[in-house]
Structures are given as C-alpha cells and as structure tokens.
Amino acid sequence: MDIQILLAESSRLFSQKAILQKDIPLLRDIVREHNRLYYQQESPVISDEEYDRLFSQLVEAERRYGDFDPESPTSRIAVAPDEQFQKRPHATPMLSLDNTYSIEEIRNFEARIRNILKTDEPIAYCIEVKFDGLGISLSYERGQLVRALTRGNGMEGEIITQNIMTDQNIPHTISYKESVEIRGEIILPHDEFTRINEARKQAGEKLFANPRNAASGSVRQLDPKVTKSRKLRFFAYSFPHLEEPETRALFGSKTGISVSTYSQYIAALERLWFETSGIFFERAKNLEALVERLGAITAERPRLGFDIDGLVIKVDDLNLWKHLGLTAHHPRYAIAFKFPAKLARTRIQHIIHSVGRSGIVTPVAILDPVLVGGVTVSRATLHNYSELAAKDAHEGDTIFLMRAGEVIPEVVSVITEARDGNEKRVGVPEKCPACETPLEQETGKIAYFCPNRTGCPAQLQGGLETFAGKHGMNIDGLGKKQIERFRREGFISDMASIYHLYVHRETLVNMQWLGEKSVENLLTSIENSRHVPLHRLLTALGIPNIGRRTAQSLAIFLAQSINRNDTEKPTGERLLKIFSSLSAEDLESIPDMGPVASQSVFAYFTARESTLSRLFPELHIILPDISFEGIIEYSLSEKTFCITGSFDGMTREQIIEIAKSAGMRFVDSVSKKLDMLVVGEKPGSKLQKAKSLGIPTMGIEEFLAQIRDHEH
Ligand code: IVH
C-alpha cells in the first residue's frame, strides 16, 4: 500500500468514533501493512500508541458487527516472513499479548479470568517487565542449541541460528537434555544503541529510530559478523515444556526441580543459565497487591539500561493457564500493562534558523503541535546543521518525535517513506536571518555563527533576556516580550540603557501598554538590581562557557587582584581596567577555568569593551568576601541529591552522571541532611519523607536546568 494513502487512511480511521462495517476490510489491510512495516522493514511509520489504537478499533468493530475472519490480523499476526531468510514453522504459534494502558482494564482482566474459572478465591500474579525488543524462539536438542527463529508471522519464522550464535548471553548448551524450546526477547541496551547510531551517523547511514528497530536490524542481518559486533541481550520468558502437566512432571523427575507456578518456571529458566527479568520480577498475592506494586516497579525502569514498553502480568498458578487457554491472538492468563508512548508522530512545517545570544545559529523544526508524554510540543531543536544533514530532515517531512528526559523535544527520525516529493531541503543559511551578516564557521567546529557581535538584533535580544533573567540581574517584569517591545520603540539598545529607562517613565505610562503600577514595579526592580554581587553580574553577562560556578571563581580572582594591588575603589571602571589587563594565561590560572573558558572571557571583554564601559558605571558591584573560602550561594558543588520515581527517556544512571559532573553527590536515601529530591513519574515514599522533613523537591526539568545554568 502506498505510504501516503496508508497514513491518510490510518489517521482517518483512528480518529473515527466508530468504525463502519464497510471499513473493516480496509482497516484489516491497514493493520497488516503496519505489521509488515514494523516486523519486516524495521521501519514503522506510526507510533506504537497509534498502532494499538487502530488494532483495538478493529477488535471492537469485528465484535460489534460479529464480523470474524480467521485471516484478520486480530486472529493471526499476518506478516509474511521476509524472503531473504529461510523459513520454518513454529512448533506452536508464537502469540502476542493482550494490551492495556489502564488499571481499570487490569481489573477487567481479572473479572474475565474469574468468569472463566468461576472462582472468588484470590488469584496470585507475577509481574515482569515487557521487553521492547524482538521475540525469538530457541530450540535445544540433547542440550545443544540447534535453531533460532524470529517470531515472523507467529506461525512461521525466519531462521537466524547463525546470527544468534554470536550472542553472548544465549547458552549454546543447557544441562537439560530433552528437546525443548525457549522463547524470549532480544534487546539492545541503550549504550549500545547510542554507539551504533553514532557509527551510522559517521558513515552517513540511516539512523535507527529506536533500540527495538536496531535490535531487529541487527538480528536479521545476512552477515553474522555484523550481529556479532553488536552487544545484544536475550531475556527468556517462555518455556512451553513447563506448561503441559506431563512434560512438567518429566522436567521435575529429570532435574529434581518441581515447577507448579510461573515464579518457579522463571527460576527453572535461570537454573538453565538463561537471563530473565530477574530483580524486576515480582509476585503479588492478589489483584490489590498487584495494583499497588505497579507504580513502584515502573519507577525502577530507568535502572534497566534498556527499553521496556510496559509490564507483563501473568497468573502465577500454571494449572490455571491450561484452564484459561488462548485466543488466536493471545493467552488469557497474561496481559501487558503498557506505558504511554514517548514517541509521537508529527510533521515539520518549517525549519527556522534561530540566533542565540552568542551568535550561534541553530536550526529549529516548527511542528504540527503534537502530544508527547502529556505535553504539547510544537518545536524541536535540530541542534546544528550537521545533525540536520545526518537526520536528513526536510520541511514537510513526517517525523518521529521524542521528549528526551521529559525535557527537550527531539526529532528522532524522518519517516522517509511518507515523502510525497513536496518536501524542501534546508541547508545552512548564508546570512544571519536577523542582521544579514554573512555567517562564519569557527575552524574545527560544527557551529555557524553570526560574527556581528554588537550589532545583531537577535544576539542583543538573547543577551538582554539572559541579562535580565532569573539567574542574571533578576529584573522582575523585564521578560522576552517587554525587551522586544522596548527595543522596537527605541527605549533599550543595550544593557546600560536598561538603567536609563526611568527617564521614559511618563511615556511608558502613556503608552498604556503596561499599567502604571507595572511600570512602577519594573522601574523599582531595575533600581534594585543596580546592587549586584560580582559573580552574579558575570553570570548575567552571559559569557559563553561561563557558568555560575566559573563566574564565582572569576569573581574571587578579581577581588583578590583588587585587594592585593589596589588602593583604588572597586568601581566598575576599575574592574574593567583589570579585565582589559588580564592575559589569557592569567585567566587560565583561575580554578575551574580551562583554556576554552578563558579564551571565551577574553574574547567577550575585547569585543564588548564599549558596551561594558557604559554598563559598569551604572552598577554598584559588590565584591565577594575573600576572607571566606568561596561563595556558596549558587554553588551546587558538594550538594547532595536523591531521586524518586522514573524519568521517561532518561536512566537514573544518566541523571546521576550529569549531576556528578556538576560536583553534586548522589545519596540513596532521604535524611535531614539531604539538599534536594528529584521527583519523577510515580514517586515512591521518599517524596513523602522529603516533604515531611521540609527538603526542597523539584522535577527533572528544573533539576537539569539548574545544572545547565551552573555549568554554562
Ligand atoms: S509472554 C504468548 N512476557 O511482547 C505470548 N512476552 O506484545 C507470551 N514480550 O509477543 C509472551 N516481554 O514478544 C511475554 N515478559 C514478557 C515479554 C513479552 C516482551 C513480547 C513478546 C510478545 C510481545 C507482545
């Protein structure tokens, strides 16, 4: 099916309240086509959530109209196995799992079970993670691994034995000598995914949209050497031999391991040296206990280091499995509790070139607004032009979008199949979009920048926003909009002119844009900001590569220079003189200042001498007390932090690593001494405890922003 039509029809059908009977055959074709793209091409064109919605629309419509068909994708996974591999039928079909996104539906799941079993007794469950990888089947004969198959269409799979042999955690021999089959999932850990995509980017190859596609692409390789070079992991969750009472008894008699529950079944797999969901596996004695644990287990998600797309709930008692049986699509003893999608699909309307305060020009995608993880996103940075070229994103492209670490929306990949020829490639602009100065590229760097340091309105706007912002001079009422308007009306032309705004009091009030009270408040706020600690002023200047911590070191260094050598008062002018007399070597001797930071300070002061010579006299600069070791007011150094809950798209380790690089210390429990608690989705008891101890809590967004401000 043509991808354009597929996408258009998919959108039409999943937004439709109820599917008409006449649309059922079309919907079946559509689901089949998405299956083919997902399983065979490793190149889906819709998000998982969209697929699940289409699929349940179809289930619902078939039920409503009693329109059943053994060929429907709801009855079988109708994907033709790929031609390039040899096929082989599975011993028993490899089924799918029933899906849900809500706790209410888990209750319905139990109600259905009770209905079949006709019982009111508590039912015990196991909870394990739902690996987001590629289902495969391994066959062992006399203890030897003889064959590996992909799931294929569920009935027959592709033979991938050679490729799988290179996988480090798949046992080639097992101690149990009966003919058995083990099923499970092949996944690609996050670090390995990043490494592979990095290499593909270097080689100019198409990037994998996610670790699952990468795992699939790695296993279904014609060259096993390629598979070997990628560190895949296999997790076992299915051992059909233990599901039939007779073979289960045989297993018990041969191994001395008796198995009557799924918990024991998993333990048996581990005894045969298979990796399973291990420490993320839990047993719950009844539905209530199960529901209570879902949040806490989900919170552990970041610790895994690989993708999961939900949890799988299975009835613990294996004897009940037989009773409950299977549908053509899934077993009735299990259900998947899926996480809301973090990948969304949308379209790039335009690519704009945004000029920041340091003059660097960044391509930014303006998107059809789309909901990702509960937030509407309408723009996404493409970081730089080499990234833009690597992603091959065009205006008009349909893309997958992700919110990394719940913060920065990112274009993951382009759905090139969805192109209709009207897309427009966007390259590096020749001139600054704000001031038309020809752009330059620093030698050896990727970034392009506008060299018009003092005259570019975009750099001025960005610089003024930073200057007046919360971590800068903290001038209330002087945000982006006000700065824009004051610049347009000619009230503000640089940092110093902010301090002359009072001259225009009458005009500002008469403009009737801001109320009289707001004008008063703004002017007071500006006046108050004249008294400023030196390190804060240095941060406010927005010198590239100078974060809050470096600004402190620089402030201390300057204060020392003044006290040591000068009898003169530390006026702005005096400071400026000291700055101008500093050499790059002097700057490099300052703690925390590397060559990049010192070069940056040097360049900043050289280029802006006249602007600063107007600004400094307006201020009352407060020097740090150097009898005191450092100013810790804004320092994150040595601050302790703890984490609770999970963070979409970001592992706990990643967060800890970022914070450690800012000098912070991670502690794993909440006590009176803790400085802050970072709260993610589904937080645990730590949150309650922190609140009761009055410890500051913050979301990941705020936490990362704090580190970013501190670092840069
Ligand atoms: S049990 C009869 N357990 O998810 C199906 N499946 O979306 C038995 N999956 O086809 C499957 N993690 O490939 C099971 N812990 C887990 C799983 C799991 C991932 C996969 C499996 C299945 C698919 C359904």
Side-chain angles (χ1 to χ4, degrees):
M1 193 185 296
D2 179 72
I3 303 275
Q4 301 296 328
I5 298 175
L6 177 70
L7 284 174
E9 289 294 308
S10 304
S11 300
R12 179 175 74 83
L13 291 176
F14 66 52
S15 51
Q16 213 161 53
K17 267 226 174 64
I19 302 292
L20 303 173
Q21 188 169 13
K22 73 168 175 48
D23 279 336
I24 290 179
L26 173 64
L27 186 48
R28 284 181 184 144
D29 282 346
I30 286 176
V31 171
R32 267 187 212 113
E33 187 60 14
H34 287 305
N35 278 340
R36 194 183 65 78
L37 291 168
Y38 178 109
Y39 289 111
Q40 213 170 299
Q41 306 285 101
E42 287 116 30
S43 182
V45 297
I46 57 173
S47 68
D48 288 2
E49 204 172 33
E50 289 173 315
Y51 174 85
D52 288 342
R53 223 152 82 204
L54 278 178
F55 192 88
S56 45
Q57 289 270 54
L58 180 56
V59 172
E60 168 70 27
E62 288 175 344
R63 211 186 43 223
R64 188 160 358 104
Y65 300 109
D67 185 343
F68 298 108
D69 179 348
E71 293 299 311
S72 167
T74 56
S75 310
R76 51 183 295 192
I77 302 134
V79 204
D82 202 310
E83 291 303 315
Q84 61 183 343
F85 288 93
Q86 277 193 33
K87 327 280 175 305
R88 193 187 157 101
H90 290 295
T92 55
M94 278 185 86
L95 299 182
S96 197
L97 283 168
D98 196 10
N99 273 334
T100 159
Y101 289 88
S102 77
I103 303 232
E104 193 192 333
E105 285 181 56
I106 293 178
R107 296 188 193 284
N108 293 342
F109 162 70
E110 182 172 83
R112 285 197 296 276
I113 292 179
R114 291 197 176 287
N115 206 10
I116 300 170
L117 299 176
K118 308 258 175 298
T119 173
D120 288 331
E121 292 295 304
I123 300 170
Y125 297 96
C126 294
I127 317 166
E128 61 187 350
V129 296
K130 184 170 185 316
F131 304 98
D132 194 5
L134 169 79
I136 65 161
S137 139
L138 304 173
S139 295
Y140 290 84
E141 308 270 350
R142 287 186 286 279
Q144 294 293 323
L145 174 62
V146 293
R147 196 166 40 258
L149 298 179
T150 63
R151 175 182 180 208
N153 63 8
M155 306 307 264
E156 70 175 357
E158 302 143 336
I159 303 177
I160 49 160
T161 321
Q162 288 312 315
N163 299 22
I164 271 334
M165 287 291 184
T166 62
D167 215 326
Q168 286 140 356
N169 74 336
I170 293 185
H172 291 187
T173 55
I174 55 173
S175 55
Y176 190 55
K177 306 297 177 207
E178 298 299 314
S179 297
V180 290
E181 187 190 351
I182 309 284
R183 293 175 177 180
E185 202 92 347
I186 291 255
I187 59 96
L188 192 70
H190 290 146
D191 47 0
E192 191 60 5
F193 171 67
T194 313
R195 188 189 66 75
I196 293 171
N197 257 359
E198 204 53 50
R200 289 173 78 90
K201 192 156 119 190
Q202 299 291 332
E205 290 167 359
K206 191 173 177 214
L207 302 188
F208 286 118
N210 53 49
R212 181 194 61 219
N213 293 153
S216 177
S218 305
V219 167
R220 299 170 68 260
Q221 269 288 336
L222 290 176
D223 180 0
K225 279 207 289 300
V226 177
T227 318
K228 185 168 184 187
S229 69
R230 300 178 179 173
K231 293 192 186 58
L232 296 154
R233 268 168 87 180
F234 174 75
F235 290 92
Y237 47 67
S238 175
F239 190 179
H241 193 66
L242 297 183
E243 292 171 23
E244 298 296 326
E246 305 76 37
T247 41
R248 188 152 71 227
L250 176 67
F251 184 81
S253 69
K254 298 249 167 181
T255 61
I257 306 170
S258 77
V259 176
S260 62
T261 62
Y262 185 62
S263 322
Q264 291 164 340
Y265 171 123
I266 284 291
L269 280 168
E270 288 178 352
R271 292 274 283 272
L272 295 181
W273 297 114
F274 287 98
E275 196 166 359
T276 70
S277 51
I279 54 167
F280 294 94
F281 182 92
E282 274 192 31
R283 184 178 177 278
K285 64 178 191 303
N286 58 30
L287 186 74
E288 283 322 305
L290 166 83
V291 167
E292 213 168 86
R293 290 300 300 153
L294 291 177
I297 301 174
T298 307
E300 296 297 326
R301 180 181 184 187
R303 282 177 48 205
L304 284 164
F306 55 80
D307 274 1
I308 59 173
D309 57 343
L311 302 175
V312 182
I313 297 160
K314 293 174 185 167
V315 170
D316 194 30
D317 184 344
L318 294 176
N319 285 322
L320 300 183
W321 285 26
K322 250 226 100 64
H323 263 101
L324 292 167
L326 317 164
T327 73
H329 177 263
H330 59 258
R332 289 200 193 85
Y333 53 78
I335 192 162
F337 178 60
K338 292 201 27 179
F339 301 140
K342 28 170 220 200
L343 271 195
R345 185 171 59 93
T346 186
R347 201 181 135 267
I348 300 181
Q349 297 174 349
H350 302 291
I351 294 175
I352 59 160
H353 310 281
S354 160
V355 187
R357 66 173 148 82
S358 57
I360 291 180
V361 186
T362 311
V364 176
I366 305 297
L367 310 167
D368 285 348
V370 61
L371 208 65
V372 201
V375 172
T376 305
V377 173
S378 54
R379 51 195 284 150
T381 173
L382 288 152
H383 302 293
N384 56 56
Y385 291 91
S386 90
E387 182 87 5
L388 172 65
K391 295 230 154 108
D392 192 30
H394 296 182
E395 288 185 331
D397 264 342
T398 305
I399 56 151
F400 281 124
L401 183 81
M402 178 173 81
R403 265 173 73 226
E406 299 180 336
V407 200
I408 316 141
E410 198 165 332
V411 174
V412 177
S413 63
V414 173
I415 306 172
T416 41
E417 297 85 341
R419 285 189 177 153
D420 63 7
N422 290 323
E423 294 73 21
K424 248 180 65 199
R425 184 189 291 278
V426 172
V428 186
E430 281 180 12
K431 292 180 182 164
C432 170
C435 70
E436 307 226 311
T437 308
L439 296 187
E440 292 178 13
Q441 187 177 28
E442 258 178 71
T443 30
K445 297 238 171 101
I446 316 172
Y448 287 84
F449 68 95
C450 165
N452 182 8
R453 295 283 176 222
T454 47
C456 172
Q459 292 185 53
L460 179 62
Q461 173 73 27
L464 290 174
E465 283 173 26
T466 306
F467 182 74
K470 207 162 88 204
H471 301 305
M473 306 302 274
N474 195 14
I475 305 174
D476 262 354
L478 192 60
K480 185 178 161 76
K481 275 212 190 87
Q482 291 80 7
I483 296 174
E484 258 165 17
R485 175 106 186 229
F486 290 153
R487 276 186 38 232
R488 207 168 45 217
E489 311 260 351
F491 296 129
I492 291 184
S493 54
D494 64 3
M495 294 182 275
S497 60
I498 293 175
Y499 293 97
H500 301 161
L501 200 60
Y502 70 92
V503 179
H504 308 287
R505 172 187 273 114
E506 292 307 305
T507 329
L508 291 178
V509 172
N510 291 338
M511 262 168 73
Q512 301 208 328
W513 177 46
L514 305 165
E516 189 170 350
K517 185 94 191 104
S518 304
V519 173
E520 269 326 307
N521 288 345
L522 171 63
L523 293 177
T524 311
S525 189
I526 292 175
E527 284 313 305
N528 291 343
S529 76
R530 285 183 196 263
H531 287 265
V532 60
L534 180 56
H535 68 283
R536 198 175 240 280
L537 169 63
L538 291 171
T539 311
L541 295 179
I543 311 169
N545 306 302
I546 302 298
R548 282 193 260 166
R549 181 159 66 178
T550 329
Q552 285 178 15
S553 303
L554 192 54
I556 292 172
F557 177 83
L558 288 170
Q560 282 167 345
S561 314
I562 289 172
N563 285 5
R564 249 190 285 124
N565 309 327
D566 290 87
T567 47
E568 281 181 63
K569 267 209 198 134
T571 59
E573 262 170 80
R574 182 73 205 117
L575 276 176
L576 204 59
K577 264 201 211 134
I578 295 178
F579 268 126
S580 350
S581 67
L582 288 178
S583 67
E585 290 85 68
D586 289 335
L587 289 169
E588 272 192 55
S589 71
I590 302 172
D592 293 330
M593 296 263 294
V596 175
S598 26
Q599 184 49 40
S600 185
V601 173
F602 202 67
Y604 184 91
F605 281 95
T606 318
R608 290 173 181 76
E609 212 174 327
S610 74
T611 318
L612 296 177
S613 65
R614 285 195 300 276
L615 170 68
F616 278 22
E618 299 293 338
L619 307 172
H620 302 278
I621 300 164
I622 305 160
L623 291 181
D625 178 359
I626 49 166
S627 56
F628 188 69
E629 271 296 294
I631 324 148
I632 34 183
E633 186 192 354
Y634 295 104
S635 175
L636 289 178
S637 195
E638 289 300 299
K639 286 247 159 95
T640 54
F641 71 103
C642 178
I643 298 177
T644 180
S646 66
F647 306 88
D648 225 343
M650 223 176 171
T651 67
R652 180 179 278 252
E653 282 72 29
Q654 282 169 326
I655 298 170
I656 295 175
E657 201 178 301
I658 293 171
K660 276 192 176 160
S661 69
M664 301 185 71
R665 275 194 307 123
F666 173 71
V667 289
D668 208 2
S669 63
V670 175
S671 74
K672 267 208 313 263
K673 281 188 279 173
L674 182 70
D675 290 314
M676 63 197 83
L677 178 71
V678 188
V679 183
E681 270 176 61
K682 311 233 168 82
S685 59
K686 284 177 183 156
L687 178 58
Q688 210 40 48
K689 186 153 179 208
K691 280 195 174 149
S692 69
L693 292 172
I695 287 161
T697 61
M698 61 186 75
I700 183 72
E701 214 154 316
E702 195 187 331
F703 183 65
L704 293 178
Q706 173 183 307
I707 293 174
R708 238 188 342 265
D709 290 343
H710 165 77
E711 292 274 286
H712 298 294

